[in-house]
């Protein structure tokens, strides 16, 4: 069985006739024998095995602030702000394993390693000299390093939310924002766009020939010479193609940072006088819009950081594999009580 041990303490305070409130909590959670689907060699006849992975800890804080700046007879403005920061760590793996590859695609791996957060991302990078210079082949394309490097991990630095509720007589408006800072995701859509030349980073140097900065060629005797081979027109696609330049796998990773206008709703509650001669106790009409605006870092102009095609558990944090775009939705709600 998966065993969770946790302690938590916090405080909930209200002031000024409940017009200001603060609720803050600290938690420390340890999960022993965490159950996860782990990939296995397909030669076994299966693709994954559900097993006890090891011990994972989570420590963090949760903060909620409530504020009512205006409260009058006809108008009320309520603000709610929440902040969550979690520190995740793999404490140990069962069977004395040094690492477990939880998921992967085209050479990029999401791993569990003791002493690191759950979901560390590893991938290829350029081969370099001891002085840090990039080693290229005769065509000027970087060679692949022997060992994969750590790109980052899937966990956010923190998340925040802000909600505003404005009430005027029988009208009520809600505006909700969500913000996530940090974390990384894999994007096959990015890989595909680079492969066909539609990604903006393939416009480097206006696709004119260029020499990889700080690059050298191997003389074969332990020495290196300054690289003078430019990436030619015919090799631009090879430079951005993971098949011929595996080091570009790092370009398939995106930050999960985003700001979303999560929801806006406008509602009207019909006056009780209009319902006196009906069997209704209340009647409310709402107009609702969800996922109306999305802001991401400049480096990510393709993917909603919340999109995934790998499931809803930890493996879903890996990213997306050619998934469709997320949707903006609009709706109308009519609620009646009898």
């Amino acid at each position: 069985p998966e065993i969770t041990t946790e302690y938590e303490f916090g405080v909930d305070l209200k002031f000024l006739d409940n017009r200001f409130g603060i609720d803050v909590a600290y938690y420390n959670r340890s999960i022993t024998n965490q159950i996860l689907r782990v990939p296995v060699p397909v030669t076994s006849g299966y693709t994954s095995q559900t097993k006890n992975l090891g011990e994972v800890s989570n420590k963090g804080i949760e903060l909620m602030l409530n504020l009512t700046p205006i409260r009058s007879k006809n108008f009320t403005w309520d603000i709610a702000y929440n902040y969550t920061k979690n520190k995740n760590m793999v404490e140990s793996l069962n069977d004395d394993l040094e690492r477990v590859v939880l998921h992967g695609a085209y050479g990029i791996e999401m791993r569990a390693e003791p002493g690191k957060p759950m979901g560390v991302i590893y991938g290829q990078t350029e081969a370099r000299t001891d002085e840090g210079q990039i080693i290229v082949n005769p065509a000027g394309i970087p060679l692949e390093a022997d060992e994969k490097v750590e790109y980052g991990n899937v966990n956010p630095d923190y998340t925040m939310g802000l909600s505003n509720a404005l009430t005027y007589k029988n009208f009520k408006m809600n505006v909700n924002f969500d913000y996530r800072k940090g974390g990384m995701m894999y994007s096959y859509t990015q890989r595909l766009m680079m492969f066909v030349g539609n990604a903006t980073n393939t416009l480097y140097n206006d696709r004119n020939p260029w020499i990889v900065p700080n690059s050298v060629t191997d003389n074969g005797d332990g020495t290196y010479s300054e690289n003078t081979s430019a990436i030619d027109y015919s090799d631009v696609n090879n430079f951005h193609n993971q098949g011929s330049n595996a080091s570009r796998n790092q370009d398939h990773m995106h930050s999960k940072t985003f700001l979303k206008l999560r929801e806006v709703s406008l509602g009207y509650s019909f006056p009780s006088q209009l319902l006196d001669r009906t069997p209704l106790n209340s009647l409310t009409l709402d107009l609702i819009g969800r996922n109306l605006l999305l802001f991401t870092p400049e480096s990510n102009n393709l993917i909603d950081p919340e999109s995934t095609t790998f499931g809803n558990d930890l493996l879903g944090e890996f990213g997306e594999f050619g998934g469709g775009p997320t949707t903006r939705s609009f709706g109308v709600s009519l609620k009646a009580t009898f």
Side-chain angles (χ1 to χ4, degrees):
E2 178 178 299
I3 304 297
T4 299
T5 303
E6 179 178 4
Y7 64 84
E8 178 178 340
F9 61 89
V11 61
D12 184 8
L13 302 174
K14 303 291 184 182
F15 303 95
L16 305 175
D17 193 22
N18 290 331
R19 293 185 62 170
F20 176 72
I22 178 171
D23 183 355
V24 60
Y26 169 82
Y27 61 87
N28 189 320
R29 181 186 308 121
S30 177
I31 304 175
T32 304
N33 287 330
Q34 181 167 17
I35 299 173
L36 281 175
R37 288 184 293 114
V38 178
V40 297
V42 294
T43 52
S44 66
Y46 300 87
T47 58
S48 65
Q49 177 185 10
T50 301
K51 62 186 300 184
N52 295 112
L53 186 66
E55 181 181 356
V56 180
S57 66
N58 288 276
K59 304 174 184 178
I61 60 171
E62 297 174 339
L63 171 68
M64 173 70 76
L65 298 176
N66 294 281
L67 178 65
T68 304
I70 301 176
R71 181 189 293 167
S72 63
K73 179 179 179 181
N74 294 322
F75 180 74
T76 302
W77 177 20
D78 293 315
I79 300 174
Y81 167 80
N82 63 78
Y83 172 89
T84 301
K85 182 177 179 63
N86 180 73
K87 182 179 180 181
N88 171 278
M89 190 67 63
V90 178
E91 302 295 342
S92 63
L93 294 175
N94 291 345
D95 304 322
D96 295 323
L97 295 174
E98 294 183 359
R99 69 179 65 91
V100 172
V101 177
L102 303 172
H103 215 333
Y106 291 99
I108 296 179
E109 299 174 345
M110 180 171 71
R111 301 179 184 176
E113 293 186 1
K116 295 185 178 182
M118 177 72 81
V120 177
I121 302 294
Y122 281 82
Q124 294 90 340
T125 189
E126 303 93 347
R128 294 178 180 268
T129 66
D130 293 338
E131 289 73 31
Q133 297 165 306
I134 298 173
I135 305 173
V136 300
N137 64 19
I141 295 177
L143 299 176
E144 179 185 349
D146 294 332
E147 300 291 335
K148 294 181 179 180
V149 297
E150 182 178 331
Y151 290 163
N153 66 82
V154 300
N155 304 285
D157 298 331
Y158 59 87
T159 60
M160 298 189 300
L162 180 65
S163 174
N164 286 271
L166 306 173
T167 304
Y168 177 71
K169 293 185 177 180
N170 289 40
F171 290 94
K172 185 172 183 178
M173 182 177 184
N174 285 287
V175 182
N176 301 322
F177 290 91
D178 282 340
Y179 179 73
R180 171 174 175 154
K181 171 65 176 176
M184 301 193 73
M185 66 177 290
Y186 169 77
S187 172
Y188 178 77
T189 300
Q190 173 72 29
R191 179 187 186 275
L192 185 61
M193 292 298 99
M194 290 178 62
F195 176 74
V196 299
N198 285 341
T200 53
N201 56 337
T202 64
L203 293 171
Y204 180 77
N205 201 42
D206 292 331
R207 293 187 176 140
N208 290 310
W210 79 91
I211 295 177
V212 174
N214 192 32
S215 59
V216 295
T217 57
D218 191 344
N219 295 326
D221 59 1
T223 63
Y224 300 91
S225 299
E226 181 181 354
N227 173 37
T228 59
S229 298
I231 305 294
D232 197 55
Y233 291 108
S234 60
D235 277 326
V236 170
N237 61 324
N238 290 326
F239 178 85
H240 293 289
N241 183 359
Q242 180 267 345
S244 53
N245 183 8
S247 66
R248 297 275 46 89
N249 260 343
Q250 52 199 308
D251 294 337
H252 306 159
M253 302 301 301
H254 282 306
S255 168
K256 287 186 176 182
T257 298
F258 70 83
L259 172 65
K260 273 192 177 184
L261 177 55
R262 180 71 69 183
E263 181 176 292
V264 175
S265 65
L266 179 62
Y268 179 73
S269 298
F270 289 85
S272 57
Q273 298 90 324
L274 297 179
L275 307 177
D276 286 344
R277 298 183 180 180
T278 71
L280 301 177
N281 291 327
S282 67
L283 184 63
T284 304
L285 177 66
D286 290 289
L287 304 177
I288 306 170
R290 295 188 176 93
N291 294 329
L292 300 180
L293 294 173
L294 169 64
F295 301 92
T296 60
E298 185 178 355
S299 59
N300 176 18
N301 55 9
L302 288 174
I303 301 300
D304 182 344
E306 290 189 303
S307 64
T308 180
T309 57
F310 295 108
N312 297 318
D313 56 8
L314 173 65
L315 303 188
E317 295 291 333
F318 181 65
E320 59 85 33
F321 197 89
T326 53
T327 59
R328 179 186 296 121
S329 64
F330 302 90
V332 178
S333 172
L334 183 64
K335 298 179 183 179
T337 62
F338 297 87

